[in-house]
Amino acid sequence: MDADKQICGRQPDSQYVELAVEVFGMLADATRVRIILALRDQELSVNHLADILDKTPASVSQHLAKLRLARMVSTRQEGTRVFYQLANEHTRQLVSDAIFQAEHTLGGSPRHHHAGAVEREE
């Protein structure tokens, strides 16, 4: 095989399939999904996230550490405060798509299918 040839990660025999499963496993926790939703458009500190999620800062910090190891969130330090943000747009899109799929399970016409739906852009 040519060393310069790009391997398509979306083939059934891709080496990325197992890594994708790990990504889904990382998101198989409601608190982590809520953290990602909270970080969609802004960076936040652990304490602010804890307030939003009604969880203890220690609990949120543990979830953030896992998301950081998975390279789904990154940090920025300002003095003694650490702010978290999404590491890339794919995490945002993955969670948005999962929410959209969840809407389909309820039947009917999901909100994201309506013309001009705000959620589609988020």
Side-chain angles (χ1 to χ4, degrees), residues 63-112:
H63 287 288
L64 285 166
K66 290 178 182 179
L67 290 168
R68 189 172 179 199
L69 282 173
R71 297 184 179 172
M72 296 178 129
V73 299
S74 59
T75 60
R76 177 183 68 82
Q77 191 160 350
E78 188 175 293
T80 59
R81 295 182 68 190
V82 177
F83 293 91
Y84 289 83
Q85 65 266 336
L86 296 180
N88 59 61
E89 71 280 359
H90 301 294
T91 302
R92 175 186 302 117
Q93 189 63 49
L94 186 59
V95 169
S96 292
D97 286 343
I99 297 294
F100 293 159
Q101 182 62 37
E103 289 178 353
H104 280 277
T105 65
L106 299 176
S109 179
R111 288 185 61 189
H112 65 271

mmCIF file of all heavy atoms in Angstrom, residues 63-112:
data_model
loop_
_atom_site.group_PDB
_atom_site.id
_atom_site.type_symbol
_atom_site.label_atom_id
_atom_site.label_comp_id
_atom_site.label_asym_id
_atom_site.label_seq_id
_atom_site.Cartn_x
_atom_site.Cartn_y
_atom_site.Cartn_z
ATOM 1 N N HIS A 63 -15.546 14.306 35.601
ATOM 2 C CA HIS A 63 -16.051 14.117 34.245
ATOM 3 C C HIS A 63 -15.218 14.916 33.246
ATOM 4 O O HIS A 63 -14.910 14.423 32.152
ATOM 5 C CB HIS A 63 -17.524 14.524 34.154
ATOM 6 C CG HIS A 63 -18.453 13.550 34.807
ATOM 7 N ND1 HIS A 63 -18.727 12.311 34.273
ATOM 8 C CD2 HIS A 63 -19.156 13.633 35.953
ATOM 9 C CE1 HIS A 63 -19.577 11.679 35.057
ATOM 10 N NE2 HIS A 63 -19.851 12.458 36.087
ATOM 11 N N LEU A 64 -14.849 16.122 33.612
ATOM 12 C CA LEU A 64 -14.017 16.947 32.729
ATOM 13 C C LEU A 64 -12.648 16.313 32.499
ATOM 14 O O LEU A 64 -12.106 16.382 31.391
ATOM 15 C CB LEU A 64 -13.859 18.358 33.302
ATOM 16 C CG LEU A 64 -15.082 19.252 33.167
ATOM 17 C CD1 LEU A 64 -14.944 20.482 34.064
ATOM 18 C CD2 LEU A 64 -15.292 19.670 31.714
ATOM 19 N N ALA A 65 -12.100 15.693 33.520
ATOM 20 C CA ALA A 65 -10.803 15.027 33.369
ATOM 21 C C ALA A 65 -10.894 13.913 32.335
ATOM 22 O O ALA A 65 -10.006 13.756 31.488
ATOM 23 C CB ALA A 65 -10.331 14.482 34.716
ATOM 24 N N LYS A 66 -11.980 13.144 32.366
ATOM 25 C CA LYS A 66 -12.169 12.082 31.379
ATOM 26 C C LYS A 66 -12.339 12.657 29.977
ATOM 27 O O LYS A 66 -11.760 12.147 29.009
ATOM 28 C CB LYS A 66 -13.376 11.220 31.762
ATOM 29 C CG LYS A 66 -13.136 10.375 32.988
ATOM 30 C CD LYS A 66 -14.356 9.576 33.369
ATOM 31 C CE LYS A 66 -14.071 8.787 34.650
ATOM 32 N NZ LYS A 66 -15.222 8.022 35.074
ATOM 33 N N LEU A 67 -13.137 13.709 29.868
ATOM 34 C CA LEU A 67 -13.337 14.349 28.557
ATOM 35 C C LEU A 67 -12.040 14.960 28.036
ATOM 36 O O LEU A 67 -11.779 14.948 26.831
ATOM 37 C CB LEU A 67 -14.435 15.415 28.652
ATOM 38 C CG LEU A 67 -15.852 14.890 28.849
ATOM 39 C CD1 LEU A 67 -16.795 16.029 29.217
ATOM 40 C CD2 LEU A 67 -16.330 14.160 27.603
ATOM 41 N N ARG A 68 -11.238 15.454 28.938
ATOM 42 C CA ARG A 68 -9.952 16.031 28.532
ATOM 43 C C ARG A 68 -8.999 14.941 28.048
ATOM 44 O O ARG A 68 -8.312 15.107 27.028
ATOM 45 C CB ARG A 68 -9.344 16.815 29.692
ATOM 46 C CG ARG A 68 -8.144 17.621 29.294
ATOM 47 C CD ARG A 68 -7.718 18.525 30.424
ATOM 48 N NE ARG A 68 -6.549 19.266 30.019
ATOM 49 C CZ ARG A 68 -5.722 19.850 30.841
ATOM 50 N NH1 ARG A 68 -5.940 19.810 32.135
ATOM 51 N NH2 ARG A 68 -4.674 20.495 30.396
ATOM 52 N N LEU A 69 -8.947 13.820 28.748
ATOM 53 C CA LEU A 69 -8.110 12.701 28.314
ATOM 54 C C LEU A 69 -8.551 12.172 26.945
ATOM 55 O O LEU A 69 -7.727 11.719 26.156
ATOM 56 C CB LEU A 69 -8.148 11.574 29.348
ATOM 57 C CG LEU A 69 -7.289 11.771 30.584
ATOM 58 C CD1 LEU A 69 -7.553 10.657 31.602
ATOM 59 C CD2 LEU A 69 -5.810 11.800 30.211
ATOM 60 N N ALA A 70 -9.844 12.248 26.683
ATOM 61 C CA ALA A 70 -10.380 11.809 25.394
ATOM 62 C C ALA A 70 -10.236 12.902 24.325
ATOM 63 O O ALA A 70 -10.684 12.710 23.198
ATOM 64 C CB ALA A 70 -11.849 11.419 25.546
ATOM 65 N N ARG A 71 -9.641 14.019 24.710
ATOM 66 C CA ARG A 71 -9.425 15.159 23.808
ATOM 67 C C ARG A 71 -10.721 15.736 23.253
ATOM 68 O O ARG A 71 -10.774 16.196 22.125
ATOM 69 C CB ARG A 71 -8.465 14.787 22.690
ATOM 70 C CG ARG A 71 -7.096 14.430 23.215
ATOM 71 C CD ARG A 71 -6.133 14.161 22.123
ATOM 72 N NE ARG A 71 -4.837 13.860 22.714
ATOM 73 C CZ ARG A 71 -3.808 13.432 22.029
ATOM 74 N NH1 ARG A 71 -3.911 13.264 20.735
ATOM 75 N NH2 ARG A 71 -2.672 13.172 22.627
ATOM 76 N N MET A 72 -11.751 15.704 24.088
ATOM 77 C CA MET A 72 -13.030 16.292 23.707
ATOM 78 C C MET A 72 -13.169 17.712 24.241
ATOM 79 O O MET A 72 -13.909 18.508 23.681
ATOM 80 C CB MET A 72 -14.187 15.423 24.191
ATOM 81 C CG MET A 72 -14.203 14.064 23.538
ATOM 82 S SD MET A 72 -15.524 13.052 24.167
ATOM 83 C CE MET A 72 -16.265 12.552 22.640
ATOM 84 N N VAL A 73 -12.486 17.998 25.337
ATOM 85 C CA VAL A 73 -12.436 19.356 25.874
ATOM 86 C C VAL A 73 -10.975 19.741 26.063
ATOM 87 O O VAL A 73 -10.097 18.891 26.195
ATOM 88 C CB VAL A 73 -13.204 19.516 27.212
ATOM 89 C CG1 VAL A 73 -14.674 19.198 27.055
ATOM 90 C CG2 VAL A 73 -12.577 18.698 28.316
ATOM 91 N N SER A 74 -10.749 21.040 26.064
ATOM 92 C CA SER A 74 -9.414 21.566 26.347
ATOM 93 C C SER A 74 -9.552 22.669 27.387
ATOM 94 O O SER A 74 -10.673 23.058 27.741
ATOM 95 C CB SER A 74 -8.749 22.086 25.065
ATOM 96 O OG SER A 74 -9.536 23.094 24.480
ATOM 97 N N THR A 75 -8.422 23.145 27.877
ATOM 98 C CA THR A 75 -8.456 24.143 28.950
ATOM 99 C C THR A 75 -7.669 25.386 28.579
ATOM 100 O O THR A 75 -6.805 25.369 27.706
ATOM 101 C CB THR A 75 -7.855 23.560 30.242
ATOM 102 O OG1 THR A 75 -6.505 23.185 29.994
ATOM 103 C CG2 THR A 75 -8.645 22.371 30.748
ATOM 104 N N ARG A 76 -8.009 26.437 29.304
ATOM 105 C CA ARG A 76 -7.279 27.692 29.249
ATOM 106 C C ARG A 76 -7.194 28.197 30.681
ATOM 107 O O ARG A 76 -8.198 28.226 31.385
ATOM 108 C CB ARG A 76 -8.013 28.713 28.371
ATOM 109 C CG ARG A 76 -7.332 30.083 28.330
ATOM 110 C CD ARG A 76 -8.136 31.070 27.497
ATOM 111 N NE ARG A 76 -9.406 31.420 28.104
ATOM 112 C CZ ARG A 76 -9.586 32.329 29.048
ATOM 113 N NH1 ARG A 76 -8.547 33.000 29.551
ATOM 114 N NH2 ARG A 76 -10.787 32.599 29.520
ATOM 115 N N GLN A 77 -5.992 28.537 31.113
ATOM 116 C CA GLN A 77 -5.822 29.014 32.479
ATOM 117 C C GLN A 77 -5.701 30.529 32.493
ATOM 118 O O GLN A 77 -5.018 31.126 31.666
ATOM 119 C CB GLN A 77 -4.582 28.388 33.117
ATOM 120 C CG GLN A 77 -4.519 28.644 34.596
ATOM 121 C CD GLN A 77 -3.605 27.662 35.302
ATOM 122 O OE1 GLN A 77 -3.153 26.686 34.719
ATOM 123 N NE2 GLN A 77 -3.334 27.920 36.565
ATOM 124 N N GLU A 78 -6.393 31.138 33.455
ATOM 125 C CA GLU A 78 -6.338 32.577 33.666
ATOM 126 C C GLU A 78 -6.106 32.791 35.160
ATOM 127 O O GLU A 78 -7.035 32.667 35.953
ATOM 128 C CB GLU A 78 -7.661 33.215 33.216
ATOM 129 C CG GLU A 78 -7.657 34.726 33.218
ATOM 130 C CD GLU A 78 -8.954 35.262 32.656
ATOM 131 O OE1 GLU A 78 -9.195 35.078 31.449
ATOM 132 O OE2 GLU A 78 -9.731 35.842 33.449
ATOM 133 N N GLY A 79 -4.872 33.056 35.512
ATOM 134 C CA GLY A 79 -4.525 33.150 36.929
ATOM 135 C C GLY A 79 -4.661 31.784 37.559
ATOM 136 O O GLY A 79 -4.081 30.820 37.093
ATOM 137 N N THR A 80 -5.495 31.704 38.595
ATOM 138 C CA THR A 80 -5.711 30.425 39.255
ATOM 139 C C THR A 80 -6.950 29.702 38.729
ATOM 140 O O THR A 80 -7.232 28.583 39.136
ATOM 141 C CB THR A 80 -5.870 30.620 40.775
ATOM 142 O OG1 THR A 80 -6.982 31.493 41.002
ATOM 143 C CG2 THR A 80 -4.602 31.197 41.383
ATOM 144 N N ARG A 81 -7.688 30.345 37.836
ATOM 145 C CA ARG A 81 -8.921 29.749 37.289
ATOM 146 C C ARG A 81 -8.636 29.013 35.993
ATOM 147 O O ARG A 81 -7.854 29.456 35.166
ATOM 148 C CB ARG A 81 -9.974 30.827 37.064
ATOM 149 C CG ARG A 81 -10.420 31.470 38.373
ATOM 150 C CD ARG A 81 -11.488 32.487 38.172
ATOM 151 N NE ARG A 81 -12.728 31.834 37.740
ATOM 152 C CZ ARG A 81 -13.775 32.479 37.310
ATOM 153 N NH1 ARG A 81 -13.750 33.792 37.225
ATOM 154 N NH2 ARG A 81 -14.858 31.836 36.944
ATOM 155 N N VAL A 82 -9.297 27.874 35.842
ATOM 156 C CA VAL A 82 -9.191 27.075 34.623
ATOM 157 C C VAL A 82 -10.542 27.105 33.925
ATOM 158 O O VAL A 82 -11.582 26.878 34.552
ATOM 159 C CB VAL A 82 -8.781 25.618 34.940
ATOM 160 C CG1 VAL A 82 -8.733 24.780 33.680
ATOM 161 C CG2 VAL A 82 -7.444 25.597 35.660
ATOM 162 N N PHE A 83 -10.513 27.397 32.647
ATOM 163 C CA PHE A 83 -11.723 27.431 31.845
ATOM 164 C C PHE A 83 -11.686 26.290 30.836
ATOM 165 O O PHE A 83 -10.651 26.014 30.236
ATOM 166 C CB PHE A 83 -11.841 28.776 31.104
ATOM 167 C CG PHE A 83 -12.058 29.929 32.031
ATOM 168 C CD1 PHE A 83 -10.978 30.628 32.539
ATOM 169 C CD2 PHE A 83 -13.329 30.299 32.417
ATOM 170 C CE1 PHE A 83 -11.159 31.693 33.402
ATOM 171 C CE2 PHE A 83 -13.534 31.355 33.277
ATOM 172 C CZ PHE A 83 -12.439 32.062 33.782
ATOM 173 N N TYR A 84 -12.824 25.665 30.664
ATOM 174 C CA TYR A 84 -12.951 24.541 29.742
ATOM 175 C C TYR A 84 -13.738 24.968 28.516
ATOM 176 O O TYR A 84 -14.678 25.756 28.613
ATOM 177 C CB TYR A 84 -13.673 23.369 30.425
ATOM 178 C CG TYR A 84 -12.813 22.716 31.479
ATOM 179 C CD1 TYR A 84 -12.728 23.236 32.761
ATOM 180 C CD2 TYR A 84 -12.067 21.584 31.178
ATOM 181 C CE1 TYR A 84 -11.916 22.649 33.722
ATOM 182 C CE2 TYR A 84 -11.263 20.981 32.132
ATOM 183 C CZ TYR A 84 -11.199 21.524 33.385
ATOM 184 O OH TYR A 84 -10.385 20.936 34.333
ATOM 185 N N GLN A 85 -13.321 24.412 27.364
ATOM 186 C CA GLN A 85 -14.051 24.630 26.123
ATOM 187 C C GLN A 85 -13.991 23.335 25.319
ATOM 188 O O GLN A 85 -13.170 22.464 25.595
ATOM 189 C CB GLN A 85 -13.484 25.787 25.300
ATOM 190 C CG GLN A 85 -12.088 25.594 24.756
ATOM 191 C CD GLN A 85 -11.025 26.163 25.669
ATOM 192 O OE1 GLN A 85 -11.291 27.056 26.450
ATOM 193 N NE2 GLN A 85 -9.818 25.640 25.592
ATOM 194 N N LEU A 86 -14.873 23.222 24.323
ATOM 195 C CA LEU A 86 -14.832 22.047 23.463
ATOM 196 C C LEU A 86 -13.554 22.093 22.641
ATOM 197 O O LEU A 86 -13.142 23.154 22.176
ATOM 198 C CB LEU A 86 -16.048 22.002 22.548
ATOM 199 C CG LEU A 86 -17.390 21.839 23.260
ATOM 200 C CD1 LEU A 86 -18.526 21.799 22.247
ATOM 201 C CD2 LEU A 86 -17.408 20.609 24.139
ATOM 202 N N ALA A 87 -12.936 20.952 22.464
ATOM 203 C CA ALA A 87 -11.657 20.885 21.757
ATOM 204 C C ALA A 87 -11.828 21.072 20.253
ATOM 205 O O ALA A 87 -10.909 21.545 19.585
ATOM 206 C CB ALA A 87 -10.957 19.567 22.050
ATOM 207 N N ASN A 88 -12.994 20.705 19.728
ATOM 208 C CA ASN A 88 -13.246 20.869 18.297
ATOM 209 C C ASN A 88 -14.740 20.840 18.031
ATOM 210 O O ASN A 88 -15.525 20.505 18.921
ATOM 211 C CB ASN A 88 -12.508 19.798 17.471
ATOM 212 C CG ASN A 88 -12.926 18.402 17.857
ATOM 213 O OD1 ASN A 88 -14.093 18.033 17.728
ATOM 214 N ND2 ASN A 88 -11.978 17.613 18.354
ATOM 215 N N GLU A 89 -15.103 21.172 16.817
ATOM 216 C CA GLU A 89 -16.523 21.253 16.466
ATOM 217 C C GLU A 89 -17.177 19.879 16.338
ATOM 218 O O GLU A 89 -18.395 19.753 16.378
ATOM 219 C CB GLU A 89 -16.718 22.052 15.168
ATOM 220 C CG GLU A 89 -16.238 21.349 13.924
ATOM 221 C CD GLU A 89 -14.727 21.419 13.672
ATOM 222 O OE1 GLU A 89 -13.990 22.047 14.455
ATOM 223 O OE2 GLU A 89 -14.294 20.817 12.695
ATOM 224 N N HIS A 90 -16.385 18.819 16.198
ATOM 225 C CA HIS A 90 -16.955 17.480 16.010
ATOM 226 C C HIS A 90 -17.678 16.989 17.254
ATOM 227 O O HIS A 90 -18.707 16.319 17.151
ATOM 228 C CB HIS A 90 -15.876 16.491 15.583
ATOM 229 C CG HIS A 90 -15.201 16.895 14.316
ATOM 230 N ND1 HIS A 90 -15.852 16.937 13.112
ATOM 231 C CD2 HIS A 90 -13.944 17.310 14.078
ATOM 232 C CE1 HIS A 90 -15.016 17.344 12.174
ATOM 233 N NE2 HIS A 90 -13.850 17.586 12.742
ATOM 234 N N THR A 91 -17.158 17.312 18.422
ATOM 235 C CA THR A 91 -17.824 16.917 19.662
ATOM 236 C C THR A 91 -19.181 17.584 19.753
ATOM 237 O O THR A 91 -20.182 16.939 20.082
ATOM 238 C CB THR A 91 -16.962 17.286 20.882
ATOM 239 O OG1 THR A 91 -15.687 16.646 20.752
ATOM 240 C CG2 THR A 91 -17.613 16.861 22.168
ATOM 241 N N ARG A 92 -19.240 18.863 19.443
ATOM 242 C CA ARG A 92 -20.503 19.607 19.441
ATOM 243 C C ARG A 92 -21.490 18.960 18.466
ATOM 244 O O ARG A 92 -22.647 18.715 18.805
ATOM 245 C CB ARG A 92 -20.274 21.067 19.050
ATOM 246 C CG ARG A 92 -21.564 21.863 18.909
ATOM 247 C CD ARG A 92 -21.349 23.279 18.375
ATOM 248 N NE ARG A 92 -20.458 24.032 19.233
ATOM 249 C CZ ARG A 92 -19.258 24.521 18.850
ATOM 250 N NH1 ARG A 92 -18.832 24.333 17.627
ATOM 251 N NH2 ARG A 92 -18.514 25.193 19.683
ATOM 252 N N GLN A 93 -21.022 18.658 17.261
ATOM 253 C CA GLN A 93 -21.895 18.091 16.235
ATOM 254 C C GLN A 93 -22.360 16.686 16.596
ATOM 255 O O GLN A 93 -23.520 16.341 16.397
ATOM 256 C CB GLN A 93 -21.180 18.068 14.878
ATOM 257 C CG GLN A 93 -22.098 17.691 13.732
ATOM 258 C CD GLN A 93 -23.216 18.691 13.542
ATOM 259 O OE1 GLN A 93 -22.978 19.896 13.483
ATOM 260 N NE2 GLN A 93 -24.441 18.209 13.450
ATOM 261 N N LEU A 94 -21.465 15.892 17.161
ATOM 262 C CA LEU A 94 -21.811 14.530 17.552
ATOM 263 C C LEU A 94 -22.933 14.523 18.589
ATOM 264 O O LEU A 94 -23.910 13.765 18.466
ATOM 265 C CB LEU A 94 -20.575 13.812 18.095
ATOM 266 C CG LEU A 94 -20.692 12.344 18.416
ATOM 267 C CD1 LEU A 94 -21.097 11.535 17.189
ATOM 268 C CD2 LEU A 94 -19.377 11.838 18.971
ATOM 269 N N VAL A 95 -22.822 15.371 19.584
ATOM 270 C CA VAL A 95 -23.851 15.431 20.625
ATOM 271 C C VAL A 95 -25.142 16.020 20.054
ATOM 272 O O VAL A 95 -26.230 15.522 20.353
ATOM 273 C CB VAL A 95 -23.343 16.216 21.852
ATOM 274 C CG1 VAL A 95 -24.476 16.520 22.824
ATOM 275 C CG2 VAL A 95 -22.251 15.418 22.551
ATOM 276 N N SER A 96 -25.041 17.032 19.212
ATOM 277 C CA SER A 96 -26.246 17.596 18.580
ATOM 278 C C SER A 96 -26.962 16.530 17.757
ATOM 279 O O SER A 96 -28.186 16.394 17.835
ATOM 280 C CB SER A 96 -25.887 18.785 17.690
ATOM 281 O OG SER A 96 -25.440 19.865 18.458
ATOM 282 N N ASP A 97 -26.206 15.773 16.977
ATOM 283 C CA ASP A 97 -26.813 14.715 16.167
ATOM 284 C C ASP A 97 -27.459 13.646 17.042
ATOM 285 O O ASP A 97 -28.516 13.108 16.705
ATOM 286 C CB ASP A 97 -25.785 14.097 15.222
ATOM 287 C CG ASP A 97 -25.435 15.005 14.053
ATOM 288 O OD1 ASP A 97 -26.194 15.953 13.769
ATOM 289 O OD2 ASP A 97 -24.390 14.760 13.420
ATOM 290 N N ALA A 98 -26.842 13.327 18.171
ATOM 291 C CA ALA A 98 -27.430 12.345 19.090
ATOM 292 C C ALA A 98 -28.749 12.860 19.657
ATOM 293 O O ALA A 98 -29.718 12.101 19.783
ATOM 294 C CB ALA A 98 -26.448 12.012 20.211
ATOM 295 N N ILE A 99 -28.788 14.151 19.988
ATOM 296 C CA ILE A 99 -30.034 14.752 20.479
ATOM 297 C C ILE A 99 -31.094 14.709 19.386
ATOM 298 O O ILE A 99 -32.260 14.376 19.637
ATOM 299 C CB ILE A 99 -29.794 16.197 20.979
ATOM 300 C CG1 ILE A 99 -28.839 16.207 22.181
ATOM 301 C CG2 ILE A 99 -31.120 16.901 21.290
ATOM 302 C CD1 ILE A 99 -29.357 15.548 23.437
ATOM 303 N N PHE A 100 -30.703 15.046 18.147
ATOM 304 C CA PHE A 100 -31.652 14.995 17.034
ATOM 305 C C PHE A 100 -32.184 13.576 16.849
ATOM 306 O O PHE A 100 -33.371 13.365 16.615
ATOM 307 C CB PHE A 100 -31.001 15.477 15.738
ATOM 308 C CG PHE A 100 -30.641 16.943 15.734
ATOM 309 C CD1 PHE A 100 -29.689 17.409 14.851
ATOM 310 C CD2 PHE A 100 -31.230 17.844 16.602
ATOM 311 C CE1 PHE A 100 -29.341 18.752 14.828
ATOM 312 C CE2 PHE A 100 -30.892 19.181 16.595
ATOM 313 C CZ PHE A 100 -29.941 19.651 15.698
ATOM 314 N N GLN A 101 -31.309 12.579 16.941
ATOM 315 C CA GLN A 101 -31.744 11.189 16.816
ATOM 316 C C GLN A 101 -32.704 10.837 17.945
ATOM 317 O O GLN A 101 -33.695 10.140 17.733
ATOM 318 C CB GLN A 101 -30.538 10.248 16.804
ATOM 319 C CG GLN A 101 -30.905 8.799 16.623
ATOM 320 C CD GLN A 101 -31.607 8.514 15.300
ATOM 321 O OE1 GLN A 101 -31.283 9.102 14.278
ATOM 322 N NE2 GLN A 101 -32.581 7.626 15.332
ATOM 323 N N ALA A 102 -32.424 11.318 19.139
ATOM 324 C CA ALA A 102 -33.307 11.070 20.277
ATOM 325 C C ALA A 102 -34.694 11.657 20.013
ATOM 326 O O ALA A 102 -35.709 11.047 20.368
ATOM 327 C CB ALA A 102 -32.708 11.665 21.555
ATOM 328 N N GLU A 103 -34.754 12.829 19.376
ATOM 329 C CA GLU A 103 -36.046 13.430 19.030
ATOM 330 C C GLU A 103 -36.834 12.512 18.094
ATOM 331 O O GLU A 103 -38.059 12.432 18.184
ATOM 332 C CB GLU A 103 -35.850 14.794 18.389
ATOM 333 C CG GLU A 103 -35.374 15.863 19.354
ATOM 334 C CD GLU A 103 -35.130 17.208 18.677
ATOM 335 O OE1 GLU A 103 -35.197 17.293 17.429
ATOM 336 O OE2 GLU A 103 -34.874 18.172 19.403
ATOM 337 N N HIS A 104 -36.146 11.825 17.205
ATOM 338 C CA HIS A 104 -36.821 10.915 16.277
ATOM 339 C C HIS A 104 -37.475 9.745 17.010
ATOM 340 O O HIS A 104 -38.476 9.213 16.541
ATOM 341 C CB HIS A 104 -35.842 10.379 15.227
ATOM 342 C CG HIS A 104 -35.582 11.330 14.118
ATOM 343 N ND1 HIS A 104 -36.409 11.457 13.028
ATOM 344 C CD2 HIS A 104 -34.581 12.222 13.932
ATOM 345 C CE1 HIS A 104 -35.934 12.374 12.212
ATOM 346 N NE2 HIS A 104 -34.814 12.858 12.740
ATOM 347 N N THR A 105 -36.916 9.340 18.130
ATOM 348 C CA THR A 105 -37.479 8.205 18.857
ATOM 349 C C THR A 105 -38.843 8.531 19.445
ATOM 350 O O THR A 105 -39.594 7.615 19.780
ATOM 351 C CB THR A 105 -36.546 7.722 19.983
ATOM 352 O OG1 THR A 105 -36.419 8.738 20.964
ATOM 353 C CG2 THR A 105 -35.185 7.327 19.440
ATOM 354 N N LEU A 106 -39.141 9.814 19.567
ATOM 355 C CA LEU A 106 -40.437 10.221 20.120
ATOM 356 C C LEU A 106 -41.537 10.197 19.075
ATOM 357 O O LEU A 106 -42.707 10.357 19.401
ATOM 358 C CB LEU A 106 -40.327 11.625 20.732
ATOM 359 C CG LEU A 106 -39.338 11.761 21.887
ATOM 360 C CD1 LEU A 106 -39.261 13.210 22.342
ATOM 361 C CD2 LEU A 106 -39.743 10.862 23.043
ATOM 362 N N GLY A 107 -41.164 10.027 17.813
ATOM 363 C CA GLY A 107 -42.160 10.004 16.745
ATOM 364 C C GLY A 107 -42.579 11.409 16.349
ATOM 365 O O GLY A 107 -42.091 12.398 16.872
ATOM 366 N N GLY A 108 -43.465 11.485 15.409
ATOM 367 C CA GLY A 108 -43.928 12.777 14.941
ATOM 368 C C GLY A 108 -42.865 13.486 14.135
ATOM 369 O O GLY A 108 -41.934 12.874 13.605
ATOM 370 N N SER A 109 -42.985 14.786 14.053
ATOM 371 C CA SER A 109 -42.049 15.610 13.298
ATOM 372 C C SER A 109 -41.103 16.320 14.267
ATOM 373 O O SER A 109 -41.512 17.259 14.951
ATOM 374 C CB SER A 109 -42.822 16.636 12.467
ATOM 375 O OG SER A 109 -41.935 17.450 11.753
ATOM 376 N N PRO A 110 -39.847 15.883 14.343
ATOM 377 C CA PRO A 110 -38.901 16.494 15.292
ATOM 378 C C PRO A 110 -38.709 17.983 15.033
ATOM 379 O O PRO A 110 -38.789 18.444 13.891
ATOM 380 C CB PRO A 110 -37.600 15.734 15.041
ATOM 381 C CG PRO A 110 -38.000 14.477 14.370
ATOM 382 C CD PRO A 110 -39.234 14.806 13.588
ATOM 383 N N ARG A 111 -38.434 18.723 16.079
ATOM 384 C CA ARG A 111 -38.241 20.174 15.978
ATOM 385 C C ARG A 111 -37.166 20.548 14.976
ATOM 386 O O ARG A 111 -37.287 21.544 14.278
ATOM 387 C CB ARG A 111 -37.876 20.754 17.347
ATOM 388 C CG ARG A 111 -39.040 20.770 18.312
ATOM 389 C CD ARG A 111 -38.667 21.466 19.588
ATOM 390 N NE ARG A 111 -38.310 22.850 19.295
ATOM 391 C CZ ARG A 111 -37.772 23.679 20.163
ATOM 392 N NH1 ARG A 111 -37.510 23.276 21.368
ATOM 393 N NH2 ARG A 111 -37.472 24.912 19.834
ATOM 394 N N HIS A 112 -36.104 19.752 14.905
ATOM 395 C CA HIS A 112 -34.990 20.124 14.028
ATOM 396 C C HIS A 112 -35.340 19.995 12.550
ATOM 397 O O HIS A 112 -34.584 20.450 11.707
ATOM 398 C CB HIS A 112 -33.733 19.313 14.371
ATOM 399 C CG HIS A 112 -33.853 17.845 14.124
ATOM 400 N ND1 HIS A 112 -34.332 16.984 15.086
ATOM 401 C CD2 HIS A 112 -33.555 17.096 13.044
ATOM 402 C CE1 HIS A 112 -34.324 15.755 14.605
ATOM 403 N NE2 HIS A 112 -33.856 15.789 13.365
#
